[in-house]
Amino acid sequence: MPLAANFRRNAWLVVALLWVTACLNYLDRLMITTMRSSLMETIPMTEAQFGLLTTVVLVVYGLGSPFAGYFADKFQRSYVIVGSLLAWSIVTGLTAYAKTYDQLLALRALLALSQVAAVPASVALVVDYHRGSTRSLASGLLLSGAMAGAALSGLGGWIASNSSWGYAHQLFGIIGAAYAIALLFLLRDPEVEPIAVPAGQTAPAPVRLGEAFRSLFTNRGYLLMIGYSCVLGVVAWSVVGWMPTYMKEQYSLTQGAAGMYTTLCVNIAALLGLIIGGKWADRWSRRNERARILVPMIGLLLAAPGVVLLIKAPVLGLALTGLAMYGLFRYFSDANMMPVLCMLVDARYRATSWGVASLF
C-alpha cells in the first residue's frame, strides 16, 4: 500500500488512541487534588505537606522532560508511550497501598517519572502522521484529551467520598494497565519517509543527546519559543492556582462552587480553543505558511481583554465570560506549539524540543 494511503488510514486513529492516553495521564495526576479530605483522614499531614504532593510531581516532571523527550526521539515512540502508560498505571494502583506520608510522596515522584515521556512522544508521533494541512487540528485534538482528563479528575474525589481514595487509585490503575495492553497491539510508528543523506554519508545521522541540546540551544527561533513558553506558563499556572480562591473571595462563593465554576469554565473553553485554533491554522496555512505562528499571536491578543474583564467584572457572570475568553483564545497557542516547532527544529529532535520547552 502507498505510504500516503497508509497515513490517511491510520493518522486519525492514532489521534483517537492517544487522546485516551492523554486523558488518563492528567486524570491520574490530578485526581489526588480532589480527594484532600479523604486522604488527610487516612494519612495525617499538614496543608503544606499536601501541597508538596503536587509540587513534587511538577519538579520531577519538569526536570525529566528534556531527557524523556530525547528518549522518545531515540526509540520507537509507540513503545515509549505504551511503556510509560503501563508504568504510571502500575504506580497509580500501588499508590492505594501507601500507609505513610513518605511512601505517598515517593509514589507521587515515581508517578511523575513514569508519566514524563508520554506527552513528548505523543505530540511527536501525531505530527509524524499528520504532515500536511491537518497538523494543527490533530495536535489540538490530542491535547484536548489532557483538558478532558483535568475536567474528569473530579471523579477521583467523588469515588473517594463514596468509597475510599485508595479504591479510586486502584480502579484507574487497572483501567490504565488494561488500555496499555490494548495499545500495544493497536499503536504503531508510521513508515519512515526516505531521508536525503548528504554526499559522502551512508546513513542518516544518529540521534545523540549532546547534539540535540546543541542543535536546540543554538537555534534562535527555538530560543524565542522557550521564552514564549515561559510567559504562557506564568499566566497559566497563576490562573490554575489562584482563580478558585479569587472567585471565592471576590463573589462570596463556597469553596465547592468556586472550584466548579473555575474548572468547568476554563477546561471547556480550552477544549474548544484547541480545536478552533488548530482548525483555523490548518486552513489558513494553505495560503500563508506563517499561519501557525499568526493564529497563536491573534489568540493571545484576544485573550488579554478576557483577563482584564475578569479582574474588573462587578458581577460573577461577566467574570466567567472573561475567564471563558481567556481559556478559549489562549489555547490557540497549545494547538500550534508542536507544528511551529516542526518549522524550527531538526526533525530528529522534535520530542526533545517539546521536552525542553516543557521544562521551561
Side-chain angles (χ1 to χ4, degrees):
M1 179 179 292
L3 184 61
N6 190 45
F7 280 177
R8 285 195 297 271
R9 185 184 67 180
N10 295 322
W12 292 110
L13 173 63
V14 167
V15 174
L17 293 172
L18 294 180
W19 188 94
V20 178
T21 305
C23 181
L24 289 171
N25 187 306
Y26 274 69
L27 192 158
D28 288 348
R29 188 191 314 176
L30 297 176
M31 68 176 174
I32 199 170
T33 64
T34 70
M35 52 181 68
R36 171 183 165 277
S37 298
S38 299
L39 194 61
M40 294 179 75
E41 288 174 3
T42 307
I43 302 177
M45 66 187 79
T46 65
E47 294 287 352
Q49 286 177 316
F50 182 79
L52 187 58
L53 295 176
T54 299
T55 302
V56 71
V57 172
L58 291 174
V59 171
V60 173
Y61 194 95
L63 293 176
S65 286
F67 304 100
Y70 167 75
F71 196 73
D73 283 328
K74 182 74 172 177
F75 303 101
Q76 286 200 39
R77 307 197 207 282
S78 56
Y79 290 155
V80 171
I81 294 165
V82 171
S84 179
L85 172 57
L86 181 60
W88 96 60
S89 297
I90 292 172
V91 173
T92 299
L94 290 175
T95 301
Y97 300 97
K99 301 299 182 185
T100 67
Y101 177 78
D102 289 342
Q103 290 175 353
L104 186 59
L105 184 65
L107 285 164
R108 291 288 291 172
L110 192 58
L111 177 72
L113 192 62
S114 58
Q115 283 190 330
V116 69
V119 174
S122 295
V123 292
L125 184 58
V126 164
V127 297
D128 286 346
Y129 272 99
H130 291 265
R131 300 176 181 179
S133 61
T134 59
R135 180 167 274 177
S136 292
L137 177 60
S139 299
L141 286 172
L142 168 65
L143 295 175
S144 74
M147 297 296 104
L152 290 173
S153 63
L155 287 173
W158 182 81
I159 294 171
S161 297
N162 289 275
S163 180
S164 71
W165 70 269
Y167 177 70
H169 282 82
Q170 289 174 332
L171 176 62
F172 288 113
I174 292 171
I175 291 173
Y179 190 67
I181 294 171
L183 213 58
L184 182 63
F185 297 98
L186 296 172
L187 190 64
R188 292 288 182 270
D189 284 36
E191 297 177 44
V192 179
E193 287 186 319
I195 299 175
V197 178
Q201 188 172 309
T202 59
V207 175
R208 301 184 187 279
L209 182 61
E211 181 188 340
F213 288 160
R214 282 194 300 273
S215 173
L216 295 175
F217 286 105
T218 56
N219 183 326
R220 294 179 62 183
Y222 181 69
L223 293 177
L224 182 63
M225 289 300 293
I226 286 179
Y228 179 68
S229 297
C230 289
V231 173
L232 287 180
V234 167
V235 177
W237 284 109
S238 298
V239 171
V240 170
W242 289 104
M243 195 51 58
T245 301
Y246 173 79
M247 288 289 191
K248 176 178 179 294
E249 295 178 353
Q250 186 73 8
Y251 301 104
S252 302
L253 301 174
T254 64
Q255 176 177 286
M260 182 183 69
Y261 286 145
T262 302
T263 301
L264 290 177
C265 191
V266 169
N267 285 310
I268 292 174
L271 193 151
L272 292 174
L274 287 165
I275 297 172
I276 294 171
K279 183 66 175 177
W280 181 21
D282 280 337
R283 295 191 65 178
W284 195 5
S285 69
R286 297 169 189 167
R287 305 187 306 276
N288 187 335
E289 62 181 11
R290 295 173 59 82
R292 292 189 172 101
I293 299 173
L294 294 173
V295 167
M297 290 173 58
I298 295 170
L300 291 184
L301 289 174
L302 294 174
V307 176
V308 175
L309 176 61
L310 171 63
I311 62 176
K312 297 291 186 180
V315 295
L316 178 62
L318 285 177
L320 292 176
T321 300
L323 187 58
M325 287 177 61
Y326 162 78
L328 176 67
F329 297 120
R330 175 256 181 269
Y331 280 89
F332 285 9
S333 295
D334 288 53
N336 289 284
M337 181 67 77
M338 179 52 86
V340 171
L341 292 178
C342 290
M343 298 166 61
L344 297 174
V345 305
D346 188 326
R348 293 174 297 155
Y349 301 126
R350 287 172 178 171
T352 308
S353 71
W354 181 277
V356 172
S358 294
L359 166 63
F360 281 90

